[in-house]
Amino acid sequence: MKDLVSRTVQQLQPSGIRAMFNLASSMEGVINLALGEPDFITPEPIMQAAVRAMAEGKTHYTANAGTLELRRRIAATIHRESGLSLDPESQIIVTVGGMSSLYIGLRTVLNPGDEVLLPSPGWTNYEGQIELAGGRVVRVPMRKEDGFTPRIEDVEKRITPRTKLIMINSPANPTGAVCSLQTLEGIAELARSHDFLVLSDEVYKHMVWDENRHHTIAALPGMFERTITVNSFSKAFAMTGWRIGYTFARQEIISGMVKLQEDVTSCNHALSQEAALTALEREGECTADLVRTFSERRQILTAQLRECSQLSFIPPQGAFYLFLNISDSGLSSQEFALRLLKEKKVCLVPGTAFGPDGEGFVRISYAAATEKLLEAGRRIIEFMEESR
Ligand code: PLP
């Protein structure tokens, strides 16, 4: 049969994270630090809310944009965090994870051939999502000297009349970088003066370390009108399997996203929405343990890796990733990750899975138990010393 699978889908590249994960799954005794998923289970009050909702028969479709009660709670949360006053009826949509927020957000604003500025290295799925939505990826390489945050002149150089949008991810996967207010102001200035949009992926906003601060670019002057902000319950509430996230943006964009959501998934899972409502109502209590634990693990892992002079890294500022510079090994990041898996049974993700600008690095997810992290760190150092 000819052309069974569309050319668009044929051209999609499988995620480099999954590839490593699948390889590791076929081996015994591997310490897997490849997946970006908390090792915690969802906090009890959130689970109880879903159980209660089920017993009360809340098992139906909800409004396409999500229950109004949840959207009101999201509006209150965003107001508390950033001062933005959102209309829950028209400026918020609840989606099937941050992933579908990203995809339907892009699909809503991109026309075929529109250029999307993509800071690189960046999360693996952005490229596929931009292409599926008809956009053309224009990479903006980020430099390790800048702590892997976008340099304004590097962004500016790549702006053309076809530039429709820039992707921002802070705190970032895979680098753990957090954009300073100054960087966000620089990007905002470019967006306003060259008239393009910003898609700000803030799914790791709860995890910001040391003196770093999370800033919502939509709250900067004149930016709400041109920003699509994506959030998720997956990471800080350990709710990856509940598949729930949300977006806020101006009414025209949200109503486009709601139309799309109606055609694609209709709405988010009713029980997940009830669970998410409790998550926001009891946010501090539900996130404190996980956030504190991840911060402690970060300190333990960084202290250990610092002992090896051939390894270097920029101390993670947020999220739960450490982007490790392995260039002293003389191996490419792909070779390093494959050999580390085969010889030391530690699964990491090669930096090039996040774009060519990730060469020389591997990503460690420290969302894993401390003993596993320490043992993995020991094996990484051993491998590094042997490979020289
Ligand atoms: N954005 C980033 C940067 C991520 O790392 C992830 C998940 O790994 C997501 C979005 C999507 O998260 P979810 O769809 O589980 O909400």
Side-chain angles (χ1 to χ4, degrees):
M1 200 183 292
K2 248 199 217 162
D3 272 354
L4 180 61
V5 173
S6 73
R7 281 186 293 281
T8 314
V9 172
Q10 284 183 39
Q11 278 160 17
L12 276 183
Q13 295 302 314
S15 153
I17 303 178
R18 277 280 162 199
M20 285 305 291
F21 188 78
N22 292 343
L23 204 59
S25 308
S26 63
M27 296 168 63
E28 292 279 307
V30 170
I31 303 178
N32 195 334
L33 306 179
L35 269 196
E37 167 156 37
D39 59 330
F40 279 53
I41 58 163
T42 308
E44 193 58 28
I46 302 177
M47 297 216 267
Q48 286 308 325
V51 170
R52 256 192 329 273
M54 199 175 342
E56 287 165 8
K58 293 185 173 165
T59 55
H60 300 276
Y61 291 126
T62 70
N64 297 128
T67 67
L68 192 52
E69 213 185 347
L70 177 56
R71 284 180 281 150
R72 285 196 178 121
R73 175 53 67 170
I74 291 170
T77 302
I78 298 300
H79 187 259
R80 190 193 70 229
E81 286 174 1
S82 64
L84 281 167
S85 293
L86 300 174
D87 173 14
E89 307 247 7
S90 64
Q91 295 175 331
I92 299 172
I93 179 173
V94 178
T95 58
V96 184
M99 289 201 74
S100 95
S101 266
L102 289 163
Y103 176 62
I104 63 173
L106 288 164
R107 195 86 178 88
T108 297
V109 297
L110 294 183
N111 283 308
D114 279 348
E115 292 177 1
V116 176
L117 300 173
L118 181 63
S120 173
W123 185 46
T124 42
N125 294 75
Y126 291 146
E127 190 166 335
Q129 290 180 330
I130 293 165
E131 283 167 3
L132 274 180
R136 215 171 70 70
V137 171
V138 177
R139 288 185 186 283
V140 180
M142 295 186 287
R143 310 161 193 228
K144 61 174 188 297
E145 310 87 88
D146 298 335
F148 288 114
T149 57
R151 194 180 276 197
I152 300 306
E153 52 273 31
D154 290 339
V155 176
E156 192 164 20
K157 266 191 246 157
R158 288 166 179 83
I159 297 171
T160 75
R162 302 224 59 172
T163 303
K164 182 69 180 275
L165 179 142
I166 184 166
M167 305 284 292
I168 299 291
N169 175 214
S170 175
N173 178 4
T175 58
V178 170
C179 283
S180 66
L181 185 57
Q182 196 188 5
T183 297
L184 293 178
E185 281 170 345
I187 291 169
E189 177 51 33
L190 291 178
R192 286 186 299 255
S193 56
H194 295 271
D195 189 24
F196 58 80
L197 303 173
V198 176
L199 197 160
S200 181
D201 178 345
E202 303 182 6
V203 305
Y204 294 101
K205 70 177 176 184
H206 293 86
M207 296 163 205
V208 179
W209 314 131
D210 303 330
E211 71 290 354
N212 297 288
R213 291 287 164 270
H214 172 69
H215 301 281
T216 295
I217 192 167
L220 298 182
M223 288 308 290
F224 176 72
E225 291 72 15
R226 51 179 71 253
T227 305
I228 303 167
T229 307
V230 170
N231 274 302
S232 170
F233 291 87
S234 284
K235 311 292 175 174
F237 297 99
M239 290 178 72
T240 47
W242 300 73
R243 309 308 304 128
I244 181 159
Y246 63 92
T247 289
F248 63 86
R250 60 193 283 172
Q251 175 266 326
E252 296 91 325
I253 294 176
I254 294 299
S255 73
M257 290 179 70
V258 172
K259 273 202 288 184
L260 263 178
Q261 175 141 288
E262 170 158 26
D263 281 348
V264 181
T265 53
S266 179
C267 62
N268 185 258
H269 194 295
L271 299 176
S272 293
Q273 293 188 59
E274 292 296 324
L277 185 61
T278 295
L280 291 184
E281 281 166 358
R282 300 174 67 169
E283 183 171 339
E285 171 197 348
C286 289
T287 57
D289 191 25
L290 181 147
V291 172
R292 187 182 25 79
T293 306
F294 284 10
S295 177
E296 283 165 9
R297 288 175 182 170
R298 166 192 65 111
Q299 284 162 327
I300 292 168
L301 181 66
T302 52
Q304 190 190 28
L305 295 175
R306 269 198 197 101
E307 283 174 17
C308 176
S309 60
Q310 292 118 285
L311 291 169
S312 62
F313 54 88
I314 297 152
Q317 300 176 321
F320 45 74
Y321 305 107
L322 184 144
F323 211 43
L324 186 67
N325 186 340
I326 48 86
S327 45
D328 267 9
S329 65
L331 301 172
S332 71
S333 46
Q334 179 80 14
E335 286 164 343
F336 186 96
L338 286 175
R339 279 191 46 195
L340 184 73
L341 179 59
K342 251 180 41 203
E343 295 171 30
K344 300 289 173 193
K345 297 202 170 176
V346 176
C347 184
L348 307 179
V349 185
T352 43
F354 306 98
D357 305 288
E359 186 53 274
F361 288 81
V362 288
R363 187 192 77 172
I364 304 178
S365 163
Y366 51 86
T370 308
E371 318 80 71
K372 282 192 188 168
L373 282 178
L374 284 172
E375 176 56 19
R378 192 192 63 73
R379 295 187 201 176
I380 293 167
I381 293 174
E382 195 175 80
F383 177 76
M384 196 68 190
E385 284 167 353
E386 288 168 9
S387 69
R388 283 181 47 94

